[in-house]
């Protein structure tokens, strides 16, 4: 028995209570009424459903009792009984397999999993959890959770939360902040430990090589503070405050740990503290440290050597001593050639020449020259513009006021097109050094995962502890996303990570009370072949 709407030729809609007979025909039990007004039609529909609930008339001949009971059961279902379960079936299973299930926080689990398939602001997260998963958290509760996610409760004992959910500091704010930053890394430490143990399993034992790099994460805000500072932005958001995120990973991009720094820090000052801190905490040996040219400095090399580390760092051959530069140019490298020379400190400088890089270098030089020519033509370029920054090195002063372009320097610079350098103290062959350095793309991809797939930025928080909590959630989500990618690649599946994220959004389950046993039941609704294949792949690793 159910209620149906039947359109009439006059344009009105009749609302009727009907049943299906064994011959599959519909038989009208009662006509509730008709109308052209949508609101009135909805009222009639409600009246029809109420009639079904109040009347249990004897069955007419030819009517299937079991089918009527089933239809009555379906008519009692509502949207609140339907749940999105795909993210839990896929990402939740990976969350537990990696080991994050040891973290005794249901909210942390929900926020990590939601970040994987529906990233956004905390307000958006709260709304999504309630609407589709029927998990209810107030926004202020989420903010209080973030307050204590990476900082211990006692560090902020006695403090309150204002109407907007922001923490209200007490009079000892300045004295407490340093202590909180040093000792309050409970969740962060646990997350990094679990991630590192998982990484060891994936790489097949101890970590023998690690990669370090930094990126910037900007804030949609105007004001700066001790952490959020304006600086050189790798996202092109130079007017926005930012922070630096330093990430240490093993081969394949598998995470080891991370740290955040103020937005105007020099990148070269971060690599040694991160490597030393994580090595001390996890007790791993002395892996080969690989980093780009931005982290190459005399102090860093000396610190790595002093601690017994081998390293491979990106080099800038044109910044080497005149003697080294002359020896490099004397090699007359052709496309595909690889050679090496010794530096004054005893390290090796490996150089290679590639056609692809030569094309890039040539394009950049031509673009830089065009910009300089445009500035010179305006007549507004003064002697203050003469410096060695970027392509300004091609400028020269003629007399006292005439600024022109030194094309001889421009042409001489072409000799360096295609040449890339690498500084190392390892005993690896030159080709192996280049291959190891090339694996830095794993960490660049890690940043892309976080920035685009997990929407780690822009960051909408202003308090340091909430920023730390946000990064911790994203770091955990990245580890899960990388594990999913590994599973899909191992199985040679056609499903991509991005496709998997979309597939999880439309896997539903329905909760109900059985009319016979009166017990609560939950049934996962039928999946598409692609969704079932994804779930089977993830489940197969258990």
């Amino acid at each position: 028995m159910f209620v149906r709407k039947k359109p009439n030729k006059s344009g009105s809609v009749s609302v009727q209570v009907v049943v299906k007979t064994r011959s599959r025909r519909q038989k009208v039990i009662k006509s509730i009424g008709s109308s052209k007004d949508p609101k009135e039609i909805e009222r009639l529909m409600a009246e029809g459903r109420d009639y079904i609930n109040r009347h249990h008339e004897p069955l007419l001949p030819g009517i299937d009792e079991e089918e009527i009971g089933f239809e009555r059961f379906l008519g009692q279902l509502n949207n609140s009984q339907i749940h999105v379960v795909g993210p839990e079936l896929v990402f939740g299973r990976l969350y537990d397999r990696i080991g994050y299930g040891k973290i005794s926080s249901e909210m942390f689990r929900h926020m990590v999993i939601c970040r994987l398939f529906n990233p956004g602001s905390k307000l958006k997260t709260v709304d999504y959890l309630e609407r589709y998963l029927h998990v209810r958290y107030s926004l202020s509760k989420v903010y209080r959770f973030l307050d204590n996610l990476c900082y211990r409760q006692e560090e902020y004992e006695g403090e309150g939360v204002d109407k907007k959910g922001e923490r209200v500091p007490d009079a000892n704010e300045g004295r407490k902040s340093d202590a909180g930053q040093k000792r309050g890394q409970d969740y962060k430490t646990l997350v990094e430990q679990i991630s590192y143990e998982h990484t060891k399993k994936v790489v097949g034992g101890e970590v023998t090589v690690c990669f370090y790099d930094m990126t910037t994460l900007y804030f949609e805000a105007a004001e700066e503070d001790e952490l959020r500072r304006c600086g050189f932005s790798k996202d092109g958001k130079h007017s926005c405050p930012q922070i630096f995120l330093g990430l240490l990973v093993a081969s394949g991009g598998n995470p080891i740990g991370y740290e955040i720094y103020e937005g105007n820090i020099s990148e070269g000052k971060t690599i040694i503290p991160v490597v030393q801190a994580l090595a001390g905490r996890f007790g791993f040996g002395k892996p080969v440290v690989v980093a780009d040219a931005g982290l190459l400095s005399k102090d860093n090399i000396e610190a790595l050597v002093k601690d017994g580390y081998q390293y491979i760092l990106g080099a800038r051959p044109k910044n080497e001593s005149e003697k080294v530069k002359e020896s490099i140019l004397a090699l007359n490298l052709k496309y595909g050639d690889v050679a090496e020379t010794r530096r004054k400190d005893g390290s090796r400088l490996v150089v290679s020449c590639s056609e692809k890089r030569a094309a890039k270098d040539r394009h950049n030089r031509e673009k830089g020259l065009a910009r300089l020519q445009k500035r010179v033509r305006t007549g507004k370029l003064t002697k203050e513009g003469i410096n060695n920054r970027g392509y300004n090195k091609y400028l020269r002063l003629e007399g006292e006021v005439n600024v022109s372009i030194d094309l001889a320097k421009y042409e001489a610079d072409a000799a360096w097109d295609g040449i890339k350098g690498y500084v190392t103290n390892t005993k690896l062959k030159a080709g192996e050094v280049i291959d190891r350095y090339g694996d830095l793309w794993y960490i660049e991809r890690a940043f892309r995962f976080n920035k685009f797939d997990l929407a780690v930025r822009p960051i909408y928080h202003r308090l340091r502890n909430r920023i730390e909590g946000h990064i911790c959630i994203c770091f955990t989500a990245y580890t899960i996303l990388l594990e999913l990618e590994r599973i899909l690649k191992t199985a040679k599946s056609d499903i991509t990570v991005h496709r998997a994220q979309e597939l999880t959004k439309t896997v539903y389950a329905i909760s109900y009370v059985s009319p016979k046993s009166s017990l609560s039941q939950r049934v996962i609704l039928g999946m598409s072949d692609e969704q079932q294949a994804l779930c089977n792949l993830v489940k197969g690793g258990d």
Side-chain angles (χ1 to χ4, degrees):
M1 188 181 303
F2 60 95
V3 183
R4 76 173 181 185
K5 291 187 288 188
K6 181 180 179 182
N8 300 318
K9 292 182 179 180
S10 63
S12 64
V13 175
S14 295
V15 177
Q16 303 167 332
V17 177
V18 299
V19 295
K20 285 185 179 179
T21 64
R22 287 192 177 90
S23 61
R24 312 301 295 176
R25 292 183 179 179
Q26 294 181 355
K27 189 172 186 64
V28 178
I29 299 297
K30 182 176 179 60
S31 292
I32 302 300
S34 63
S35 178
K36 293 183 179 180
D37 183 4
K39 291 185 178 180
E40 177 63 15
I41 293 172
E42 286 302 316
R43 190 192 68 77
L44 294 173
M45 290 289 291
E47 185 179 334
R49 288 191 289 268
D50 184 61
Y51 174 86
I52 293 175
N53 291 333
R54 289 186 292 104
H55 295 79
H56 300 280
E57 298 183 0
L59 296 176
L60 298 175
I63 296 179
D64 191 328
E65 182 177 4
E66 183 177 348
E67 186 171 357
I68 291 174
F70 178 69
E71 290 173 352
R72 182 182 298 145
F73 166 73
L74 291 179
Q76 295 172 349
L77 298 176
N78 57 67
N79 288 336
S80 65
Q81 295 171 261
I82 299 176
H83 307 260
V84 177
V85 295
E88 182 61 37
L89 289 176
V90 175
F91 300 123
R93 183 171 277 128
L94 295 177
Y95 181 98
D96 291 329
R97 185 186 305 166
I98 291 172
Y100 295 127
K102 299 173 185 176
I103 300 174
S104 57
S105 171
E106 200 66 27
M107 183 182 287
F108 184 76
R109 182 189 189 96
H110 283 309
M111 295 187 74
V112 169
I113 293 175
C114 197
R115 175 66 50 178
L116 282 158
F117 74 99
N118 190 62
S121 67
K122 301 304 178 290
L123 178 61
K124 183 179 178 181
T125 299
V126 167
D127 179 68
Y128 193 93
L129 288 173
E130 181 172 358
R131 183 174 301 183
Y132 295 100
L133 275 65
H134 309 301
V135 175
R136 294 173 177 82
Y137 294 125
S138 67
L139 187 59
S140 60
K141 184 175 182 179
V142 171
Y143 283 151
R144 287 195 296 271
F145 173 74
L146 289 176
D147 281 337
N148 299 304
L149 181 59
C150 288
Y151 293 85
R152 295 189 181 185
Q153 179 78 26
E154 58 265 30
E155 296 298 339
Y156 300 109
E157 193 172 358
E159 297 174 2
V161 178
D162 63 20
K163 294 180 180 179
K164 295 182 180 179
E166 296 289 350
R167 179 174 58 81
V168 179
D170 67 4
N172 296 319
E173 171 72 16
R175 294 196 295 272
K176 285 188 174 186
S177 60
D178 289 341
Q181 291 171 22
K182 291 178 181 178
R183 298 198 301 271
Q185 303 295 325
D186 292 345
Y187 272 74
K188 179 179 183 294
T189 301
L190 182 55
V191 163
E192 287 179 322
Q193 183 67 51
I194 293 170
S195 302
Y196 173 67
E197 293 299 328
H198 176 70
T199 289
K200 285 203 302 182
K201 294 177 184 177
V202 173
V203 300
E206 292 299 319
V207 175
T208 58
V209 59
C210 63
F211 304 86
Y212 181 78
D213 202 357
M214 300 190 75
T215 193
T216 55
L217 304 175
Y218 67 89
F219 296 75
E220 293 286 8
E223 70 278 4
E224 297 180 81
D225 54 34
E226 292 183 358
L227 177 64
R228 303 180 302 166
R229 294 283 188 178
C230 290
F232 176 75
S233 171
K234 298 184 179 182
D235 296 312
K237 300 283 186 176
H238 301 293
S239 62
C240 295
Q242 65 181 22
I243 60 172
F244 268 105
L245 171 65
L247 184 63
L248 189 70
V249 304
S251 58
N254 294 283
I256 297 175
Y258 70 93
E259 194 53 78
I260 67 171
Y261 297 91
E262 55 271 23
N264 61 352
I265 196 172
S266 172
E267 293 185 48
K269 296 180 180 180
T270 65
I271 182 172
I272 302 302
V274 170
V275 172
Q276 289 178 336
L278 292 174
R281 188 190 310 162
F282 300 141
F284 54 72
K286 301 291 183 180
V288 177
V289 179
V290 185
D292 70 9
L295 302 171
L296 175 66
S297 71
K298 181 180 178 181
D299 290 342
N300 283 342
I301 290 177
E302 289 178 353
L304 288 171
V305 171
K306 182 179 179 181
D307 279 1
Y309 285 97
Q310 297 184 64
Y311 59 83
I312 299 173
L313 303 175
R316 296 186 177 97
K318 288 186 286 185
N319 291 352
E320 295 290 333
S321 66
E322 290 299 324
K323 183 178 180 180
V324 173
K325 288 195 290 185
E326 289 175 4
S327 66
I328 294 173
L329 294 178
L331 294 172
N332 293 319
L333 296 175
K334 308 298 181 184
Y335 295 148
D337 287 351
V338 176
E340 62 180 76
T341 185
R342 286 284 174 180
R343 302 172 79 235
K344 187 177 180 179
D345 61 3
S347 61
R348 296 155 57 207
L349 176 62
V350 177
V351 290
S352 65
C353 185
S354 71
E355 185 174 6
K356 183 177 179 180
R357 185 173 183 86
K360 179 182 177 182
D361 291 342
R362 185 164 51 251
H363 171 75
N364 289 339
R365 280 191 308 107
E366 292 171 351
K367 187 176 179 180
L369 177 64
R371 286 200 300 267
L372 286 177
Q373 289 173 332
K374 183 177 179 180
R375 292 171 61 194
V376 169
R377 283 196 298 268
T378 64
K380 297 179 180 180
L381 195 60
T382 64
K383 63 181 180 180
E384 284 74 18
I386 305 299
N387 54 56
N388 286 324
R389 293 196 297 269
Y391 295 104
N392 286 349
K393 62 187 177 183
Y394 299 146
L395 296 174
R396 68 181 177 189
L397 278 174
E398 294 180 349
E400 293 185 3
V401 294
N402 186 25
V403 178
S404 65
I405 297 176
D406 189 342
L407 293 178
K409 283 186 178 181
Y410 172 78
E411 296 296 339
D413 223 17
W416 295 97
D417 287 354
I419 295 178
K420 170 64 179 173
Y422 316 85
V423 175
T424 183
N425 66 341
T426 67
K427 295 181 180 180
L428 296 173
K429 295 180 180 179
E432 293 175 322
V433 169
I434 295 173
D435 290 341
R436 278 276 191 268
Y437 185 85
D439 286 341
L440 264 176
W441 78 273
Y442 283 122
I443 202 167
E444 293 171 359
R445 188 185 60 157
F447 289 143
R448 288 198 299 272
F449 267 149
N450 277 280
K451 290 184 177 183
F452 298 103
D453 297 88
L454 303 176
V456 67
R457 56 88 171 105
I459 301 174
Y460 299 101
H461 305 292
R462 65 178 178 84
L463 300 178
R464 179 169 185 135
N465 50 345
R466 296 184 185 177
I467 295 169
E468 286 268 14
H470 172 73
I471 300 299
C472 184
I473 289 169
C474 292
F475 178 82
T476 308
Y478 164 70
T479 308
I480 296 171
L481 201 63
L482 197 67
E483 175 64 7
L484 175 61
E485 183 189 57
R486 187 186 69 81
I487 291 172
L488 295 174
K489 284 187 175 181
T490 300
K492 298 181 179 179
S493 173
D494 293 331
I495 302 174
T496 64
V497 168
H498 304 112
R499 179 60 179 161
Q501 288 174 301
E502 291 299 317
L503 290 173
T504 61
K505 296 179 181 180
T506 53
V507 178
Y508 304 100
I510 186 167
S511 300
Y512 64 93
V513 176
S514 172
K516 291 185 177 180
S517 64
S518 297
L519 297 176
S520 296
Q521 305 285 343
R522 193 184 81 156
V523 176
I524 297 175
L525 302 182
M527 305 183 203
S528 68
D529 292 342
E530 202 174 14
Q531 289 171 328
Q532 190 64 62
L534 173 63
C535 289
N536 289 343
L537 284 174
V538 174
K539 188 177 180 180
D542 291 342

